[in-house]
Amino acid sequence: MSPETDDRPARSRLLASPRGPRVKRRGFLGATAGTLATAACGPSTPPPPAIAFVGPDPERSHHLREGTWREGPVHETIHTDVAIVGGGVAGSAAAWRLRRAGLADLHLFELEDEVGGTARGGELPRSRHPLGAHYLPTPPPDCPALERLLTDLGVILGRDAHGRPEYAPSAIAAAPLERHFGRGRWYEGLYPAAGETAEEAAQWARWHAHLRALDGRRGGDGKPLFAIPVARSSAELRHLDAVSFAQHLDELELRSERLRWALDYACRDDYGCTLAQTSAFAGLHHFLARGLEETRGGFLLTWPEGNARLVRGMLERADLGARLHRGAAVVAVDPHAGELRVHCPGDGRRLRVHARSILWAAPRFVLGRLLVGPDPLPVGALTYAPWLVASVEVRNAPRGVGARLAWDNVPLAGSSLGYVVATHGETADERQPGAVLTYYEPLCGDGPAELAAQRQRLLAGDRSHWADHVISALAAMHPGIASEISEVAITRWGHAMIRPVPGLLFGENLALASAPIGRLRPCAADVAGLPLFEEAFYKGSRAALAALADLGRAAPDALADEIFI
């Protein structure tokens, strides 16, 4: 799980190789699910796990929706050049970029008590862990601004004799990277090749040939067919955004269940959507925007707490001090006057903020509920995937028949994407008993009504219900694991990531979502249409440079031209 935020909360990797895909991301026990989490303790029975909800507080979102915090006396008035709303990847990138340009007069307001958005991290006794997005592919060569960030954060240490970035070894995901579970055992990789027929193998080869034919190509307008950020992509194949990925595969006569499982997995993991719910352009973008693995190389960058490490690094370098307002709910926005009303639920204080420029790095759908005046974006124009994420501390690392424990461990059956091992990158000197496993499950739906039902289901279940759910899913892969679990930290993301459904990426609604309103610029990953870290980073960076231009200040380096599209 992007991501996103992308941005996700978790994102997938399904990069083609000559034989089979290297896919990123991610028996029933005799006991019932309830028994798994609440078994009585005996002399030889370990105590039941400690269970907690962590992450975003649904009550704060409900207060914003209902408008209960909107009215009240103002305790303080703040005047600033730039106000950033949202402390996720986009908001943190904007703050980092503005501070690099020398702008000190900015304030950032984050609804939650912790920053990070869907790239937040948490900590259990054994290890830190992600609450959402957990890795970043090394950027392709045409993303120098992102390389500049990684250099600033100490992830890129220098360059080799050919000018290629050299990455900190501790940030590179360690092998083995992935395995999948089916028919009672584990297999290396994530493509279920065992037992495939000649026709299934031929369909995989045809799919791979289709990707190779598109890889690295430019359209008649001179732009790459698929690019990061997505807005840089050529117009040549944008018509594929109007059809679903499933339809595109039908047109290619690719109907192998194995192949479709792998591609559906990639869509669910990257976008929280099934094949039928994902635009064909978005599906192909997943494979081709960074280039095929066999042609570009590259690594996966990850940390125990996932992409929270990157957000923390950006905000540390922004050095906002008291100008970073955690637990600060923006309850009203007048974009033409450049005014925000802010309520701080922790101490009840209320702020009035006057800003020359407002960067809206929070989810775009929230803005429509807070605007003074009409929102040009129709209600419900953007849809978001809910996600369940849970980090589970175990006393002994899981094993299993077949391929050994990998960073990413995925079942063929069920609705979950499996789990990543937050402690996988530990060196021999750092290794301790046990592990922390982070479980990911998108709650997919075909339309607003189904998504609303999934969201209601997510928020209605109590801690024991979701702990039982997660433990049952893990037990299907690892019988007996229930007795090994000591802690379960559950995160519920009601609107985790934008869904790139057919017609979104290059349609009117996304253009309306990203358009400035008065002094306000939307800049979260959702207004890019793809829930990826890179999209959020570029949107936040671009908005920061636009704010500098509004203030009559020039960016002091050549990256300004690279960021603007």
Side-chain angles (χ1 to χ4, degrees):
M1 173 175 178
S2 334
E4 85 136 298
T5 317
D6 47 212
D7 281 88
R8 300 185 295 98
R11 293 188 34 226
S12 83
R13 186 173 62 96
L14 197 137
L15 306 177
S17 63
R19 175 59 188 85
R22 293 182 61 194
V23 186
K24 156 65 217 67
R25 198 187 91 113
R26 295 289 146 294
F28 181 73
L29 283 187
T32 66
T35 304
L36 290 172
T38 59
C41 302
S44 61
T45 303
I51 305 168
F53 280 138
V54 297
D57 180 359
E59 287 303 314
R60 294 189 183 182
S61 298
H62 293 163
H63 280 294
L64 289 184
R65 183 184 65 197
E66 302 301 327
T68 54
W69 288 339
R70 193 156 182 151
E71 302 299 330
V74 174
H75 299 92
E76 181 183 356
T77 298
I78 296 171
H79 294 270
T80 186
D81 281 340
V82 179
I84 302 170
V85 181
V89 174
S92 301
W96 169 79
R97 194 66 185 82
L98 289 168
R99 294 294 285 132
R100 278 188 61 86
L103 184 74
D105 189 10
L106 68 148
H107 288 253
L108 190 153
F109 301 90
E110 166 57 43
L111 172 65
E112 301 294 336
D113 294 331
E114 298 296 332
V115 294
T118 53
R120 278 176 65 173
E123 188 165 4
L124 289 170
R126 173 65 176 80
S127 171
R128 297 186 300 276
H129 59 84
L131 271 63
H134 62 281
Y135 81 101
L136 174 69
T138 53
D142 57 353
C143 290
L146 189 50
E147 287 189 352
R148 176 70 64 89
L149 169 68
L150 296 176
T151 300
D152 212 14
L153 301 187
V155 179
I156 293 178
L157 303 178
R159 296 194 175 263
D160 64 15
H162 302 284
R164 295 171 299 203
E166 294 183 324
Y167 292 89
S170 61
I172 297 172
L177 285 179
E178 57 234 350
R179 63 176 182 169
H180 69 273
F181 182 81
R183 297 175 294 279
R185 61 164 293 161
W186 291 96
Y187 299 84
E188 292 182 359
L190 293 184
Y191 177 69
E196 69 179 346
T197 66
E199 173 57 22
E200 288 170 330
Q203 288 199 34
W204 167 250
R206 283 165 43 208
W207 165 247
H208 185 64
H210 180 58
L211 293 180
R212 285 202 313 270
L214 298 173
D215 183 35
R217 270 186 50 199
R218 291 182 176 266
D221 52 10
K223 298 179 180 180
L225 294 180
F226 301 92
I228 293 176
V230 66
R232 287 186 178 154
S233 301
S234 169
E236 186 164 313
L237 295 183
R238 290 186 175 187
H239 63 277
L240 292 175
D241 186 50
V243 300
S244 74
F245 203 9
Q247 288 174 272
H248 184 60
L249 295 176
D250 287 341
E251 291 165 1
L252 296 173
E253 297 185 349
L254 296 174
R255 297 185 174 86
S256 161
E257 289 188 8
R258 296 171 190 272
L259 173 62
R260 292 211 173 201
W261 176 88
L263 304 192
D264 185 74
Y265 169 87
C267 291
R268 288 186 296 127
D269 191 53
D270 240 23
Y271 307 137
C273 295
T274 65
L275 280 177
Q277 297 159 357
T278 304
S279 99
F281 190 97
L284 289 167
H285 185 276
H286 166 83
F287 296 96
L288 295 164
R290 302 178 186 93
L292 293 181
E293 186 171 330
E294 65 197 72
T295 58
R296 81 169 187 95
F299 306 99
L300 296 182
L301 305 173
T302 190
W303 301 267
E305 67 271 44
N307 290 356
R309 178 73 65 91
L310 299 174
V311 172
R312 184 175 75 242
M314 287 189 283
L315 289 176
E316 285 175 352
R317 280 148 186 80
D319 191 23
L320 298 178
R323 291 165 294 155
L324 173 57
H325 306 266
R326 296 179 174 88
V330 174
V331 296
V333 182
D334 186 336
H336 299 286
E339 182 176 298
L340 304 173
R341 295 292 183 98
V342 181
H343 173 71
C344 303
D347 58 14
R349 288 187 312 124
R350 301 181 65 83
L351 313 175
R352 178 189 288 115
V353 181
H354 293 282
R356 297 172 66 186
S357 180
I358 300 171
L359 305 186
W360 186 265
R364 180 59 178 81
F365 79 94
V366 176
L367 180 61
R369 298 171 178 169
L370 309 181
L371 280 174
V372 175
D375 186 353
L377 182 69
V379 175
L382 308 180
T383 61
Y384 297 77
W387 279 70
L388 173 69
V389 181
S391 287
V392 176
E393 182 167 324
V394 292
R395 299 179 183 89
N396 291 287
R399 297 184 181 180
V401 177
R404 63 193 176 108
L405 183 66
W407 172 62
D408 195 14
N409 306 265
V410 177
L412 295 182
S415 57
S416 89
L417 302 174
Y419 63 90
V420 296
V421 183
T423 49
H424 185 69
E426 291 177 342
T427 66
D429 291 337
E430 298 169 327
R431 199 161 295 131
Q432 305 170 38
V436 172
L437 319 178
T438 301
Y439 169 96
Y440 292 91
E441 182 177 345
L443 306 182
C444 303
D446 277 335
E450 286 190 17
L451 291 169
Q454 291 281 42
R455 205 165 284 121
Q456 183 178 17
R457 170 187 166 226
L458 181 66
L459 297 179
D462 63 15
R463 291 176 297 174
S464 294
H465 168 81
W466 286 119
D468 288 350
H469 177 88
V470 170
I471 294 170
S472 292
L474 293 175
M477 296 178 273
H478 301 287
I481 197 172
S483 63
E484 298 286 349
I485 295 173
S486 59
E487 306 258 354
V488 183
I490 303 162
T491 306
R492 298 166 297 170
W493 296 105
H495 297 82
M497 54 172 60
I498 188 68
R499 300 167 72 245
V501 296
L504 175 71
L505 291 179
F506 308 110
E508 180 183 3
N509 282 337
L510 199 63
L512 289 173
S514 59
I517 308 173
R519 301 184 193 180
L520 180 147
R521 283 183 169 82
C523 61
D526 58 351
V527 299
L530 293 179
L532 308 178
F533 179 96
E534 298 97 323
E535 297 291 345
F537 170 78
Y538 274 99
K539 279 294 183 183
S541 298
R542 186 185 184 201
L545 293 178
L548 289 174
D550 290 345
L551 297 171
R553 301 181 57 143
D557 58 50
L559 290 183
D561 292 334
E562 189 266 333
I563 289 173
F564 275 100
I565 299 168

